[in-house]
Amino acid sequence: MQKTYNIGVEATIEVIGGKWKPVILCHLNHHATIRTNEFRRLIPGISQKMLTSQLRELEQVGLVKRTVYNEVPPRVEYSLTEYGKELEPVLNVLCTWGENHIEKRILDGEDVCLIKSDNEIA
Amino acid sequence: MQKTYNIGVEATIEVIGGKWKPVILCHLNHHATIRTNEFRRLIPGISQKMLTSQLRELEQVGLVKRTVYNEVPPRVEYSLTEYGKELEPVLNVLCTWGENHIEKRILDGEDVCLIKSDNEIA
DNA sequence: CTGTATCCGTGTGGATACTG
DNA sequence: CAGTATCCACACGGATACAG
């Protein structure tokens, strides 16, 4: 049985939709390589379970690469695959629109803010 | 209490996230104005309930405008607001990435396809 | 440090019937 | 034609505990 889509975005949502995947991918878009615990710091709201399950699914569709180092203590690093890097324009535009939207809401007097613990870590 | 975000995309997802909102917005991005029943034809999978509820939420955040005409039979038209039109780059990139992803999967031998009942209706 | 397993509440979303 | 109101199932996702 054939799976059909009526508009391109349906396929996009199916792959990178949901509450956490876009966030995970955006961080990977900014950092090149991220360890598990770094994710838990970058995304304070996510649970262990969600983090691994979402990463596994992104791995399945070939967007994320998982690298395990046989060390003690164990070390696992995640990064975008070549195919995943094709998401860069998508992720950039999703991020910047959100930043602008937050700006707008601040100007509207809402009590929101953006904590950019993300960039310029090095 | 202040609402905080750690990365811009979190705000984006909060507003246009979910299973249907991106699809609805993409269609509005293509058509300028859409009637309720046209939506139900463009998005065969959506239920009446979901369609109206998602449209209401998009109206709430100021992305979609709802126009009611006092006619018999009743006519309601939806369109993007000025602010909603700022989503255009986001929606375009979401659509085209999905189209390319479907292409890729077809080349990989998967039984999927994109039915473009969407454009060139006129 | 990283990852699994389990339990369980809740929101999302579907089906149906009904109103203006 | 457009929208509301119920009822209800299920998967999403959180909390916790445990394992390699």
Side-chain angles (χ1 to χ4, degrees):
Chain A
M1 193 261 182
Q2 177 170 260
K3 170 106 198 200
T4 60
Y5 302 90
N6 296 280
I7 189 171
V9 67
E10 291 177 5
T12 310
I13 295 305
E14 198 175 73
V15 176
I16 67 164
K19 189 176 178 180
W20 299 115
K21 292 203 186 86
V23 179
I24 290 173
L25 290 169
C26 277
H27 283 299
L28 282 173
N29 188 39
H30 289 352
H31 283 91
T33 169
I34 305 184
R35 297 185 54 175
T36 308
N37 254 8
E38 290 179 315
F39 267 124
R40 293 162 69 65
R41 184 173 47 80
L42 291 170
I43 317 176
I46 202 172
S47 66
Q48 171 77 276
K49 174 188 175 182
M50 278 298 109
L51 180 58
T52 34
S53 75
Q54 302 302 293
L55 282 169
R56 290 292 178 283
E57 289 178 22
L58 292 172
E59 211 185 337
Q60 288 293 322
V61 293
L63 292 173
V64 165
K65 186 177 60 180
R66 178 170 181 264
T67 313
V68 182
Y69 296 88
N70 276 328
E71 305 177 354
V72 179
R75 181 165 118 240
V76 179
E77 288 184 349
Y78 296 91
S79 59
L80 292 178
T81 62
E82 283 309 308
Y83 187 51
K85 285 174 186 164
E86 291 181 24
L87 275 171
E88 185 177 336
V90 182
L91 302 174
N92 283 333
V93 89
L94 284 176
C95 262
T96 57
W97 188 88
E99 292 167 8
N100 293 333
H101 184 63
I102 293 172
E103 275 303 315
K104 173 179 179 285
R105 291 171 62 191
I106 292 174
L107 293 177
D108 285 358
E110 289 189 55
D111 193 14
V112 297
C113 80
L114 175 61
I115 303 175
K116 303 193 72 169
S117 65
D118 193 76
N119 46 0
E120 351 248 7
I121 291 181
Chain B
M1 193 259 181
Q2 178 170 260
K3 170 105 197 198
T4 60
Y5 302 90
N6 297 281
I7 189 171
V9 68
E10 291 177 4
T12 310
I13 296 304
E14 198 174 73
V15 176
I16 67 164
K19 188 176 178 181
W20 299 114
K21 292 204 186 84
V23 179
I24 290 173
L25 291 168
C26 277
H27 283 297
L28 283 174
N29 189 39
H30 289 352
H31 284 90
T33 168
I34 304 183
R35 297 184 55 174
T36 309
N37 255 8
E38 290 180 317
F39 266 125
R40 290 162 69 67
R41 183 173 48 79
L42 291 169
I43 318 176
I46 202 172
S47 65
Q48 172 78 274
K49 174 187 174 184
M50 277 299 108
L51 179 59
T52 35
S53 76
Q54 301 302 293
L55 282 168
R56 292 292 178 283
E57 291 178 21
L58 292 172
E59 211 186 334
Q60 287 293 323
V61 293
L63 292 173
V64 165
K65 186 177 61 181
R66 178 170 180 264
T67 313
V68 183
Y69 296 87
N70 275 328
E71 305 176 355
V72 179
R75 182 165 117 240
V76 179
E77 289 185 348
Y78 296 91
S79 59
L80 293 178
T81 61
E82 284 309 308
Y83 186 50
K85 285 175 186 163
E86 291 181 25
L87 275 170
E88 186 178 334
V90 181
L91 302 173
N92 283 333
V93 89
L94 284 176
C95 262
T96 57
W97 188 89
E99 292 167 7
N100 292 333
H101 183 63
I102 292 173
E103 274 305 314
K104 174 179 179 283
R105 291 171 62 191
I106 292 174
L107 293 177
D108 285 359
E110 289 189 58
D111 192 14
V112 296
C113 81
L114 174 61
I115 302 176
K116 303 192 73 169
S117 65
D118 193 76
N119 45 4
E120 350 247 8
I121 290 181

